[in-house]
Amino acid sequence: MSKSNEAKKKQANVVLMLTGSIACYKSCELISRLVKEGHSVRCVATEAALQFIGAATLEALSGNPLQVGMFDAKMNIDHVSLNKWADLFLVCPATANTINKLAAGLAEDLIGATFLANNFKKPFWIAPAMNEGMYLHPVTSRSIGLLRELGCFIFEVGEGRLACGDVGKGKLLEIDLIWEKMQEVLR
Ligand SMILES: Cc1cc2nc3c(=O)[nH]c(=O)nc-3n(C[C@H](O)[C@H](O)[C@H](O)COP(=O)(O)O)c2cc1C
């Protein structure tokens, strides 16, 4: 890319939200690519996500403090200020639990409260990752359908060997494909 094109490129503020899936490690690649391209990243993780990825990794990759609980804002990073700051929200990986909670409008955690406060003013994208049974469950299907209808962009899932050993649908979509879609907002 030429220097003049680089100068024209928009530097975006991305809020990357991680939930409790083995696929959390894959999001590190996204954070790394975003930061390398000059974008700003703030990570939000659920308590369950921290069973799969360490706060130190997310903070080191993003260069920003990680936010987990709704009430532990170190730098005024709460659901309202995140909405003012962000150009794009991406829940990646998104568990069945979080997807179903978002569809129900629950605001008991930072992801849910941020989603409601956003109210589709900024793009809110969701990349599901789960076992096939959870993905095809009618409750999850209904939640995904409702969130799409309301205006969320929901990535497809991949197929293949899942972390639980089963083969089927539900893997996090390949990071390259998520990255490709993100270029719509980042350029
Ligand atoms: C080893 C292991 C892997 C898991 N992987 C997933 C997953 O990929 N997707 C999913 O929806 N839930 C998965 N779960 C279950 C979630 O972590 C659990 O439902 C949790 O409450 C999700 O909370 P959160 O949505 O607040 O992050 C896994 C649980 C374990 C123990």
Side-chain angles (χ1 to χ4, degrees), residues 47-65:
E47 293 287 351
L50 294 181
Q51 297 290 325
F52 298 92
I53 185 110
T57 301
L58 298 175
E59 293 190 337
L61 285 173
S62 69
N64 277 313

Side-chain angles (χ1 to χ4, degrees), residues 97-107 115-116 139 143 146-147 150:
N97 177 58
T98 289
I99 289 171
N100 289 324
K101 276 173 35 177
L102 290 177
L106 299 183
F115 173 67
L116 287 187
V139 171
S143 296
L146 174 63
L147 290 166
L150 291 172

Side-chain angles (χ1 to χ4, degrees), residues 19-22 46 48-49 52 94-98 101 109 129-131 134:
T19 66
S21 159
I22 281 183
T46 61
F52 298 92
T95 58
N97 177 58
T98 289
K101 276 173 35 177
D109 61 18
M130 64 199 70
N131 150 278
M134 295 173 108

Side-chain angles (χ1 to χ4, degrees), residues 113-135:
T114 304
F115 173 67
L116 287 187
N118 174 29
N119 204 8
F120 302 104
K121 289 188 210 73
K122 310 274 179 74
F124 199 99
W125 294 359
I126 295 174
M130 64 199 70
N131 150 278
E132 185 176 60
M134 295 173 108
Y135 184 67

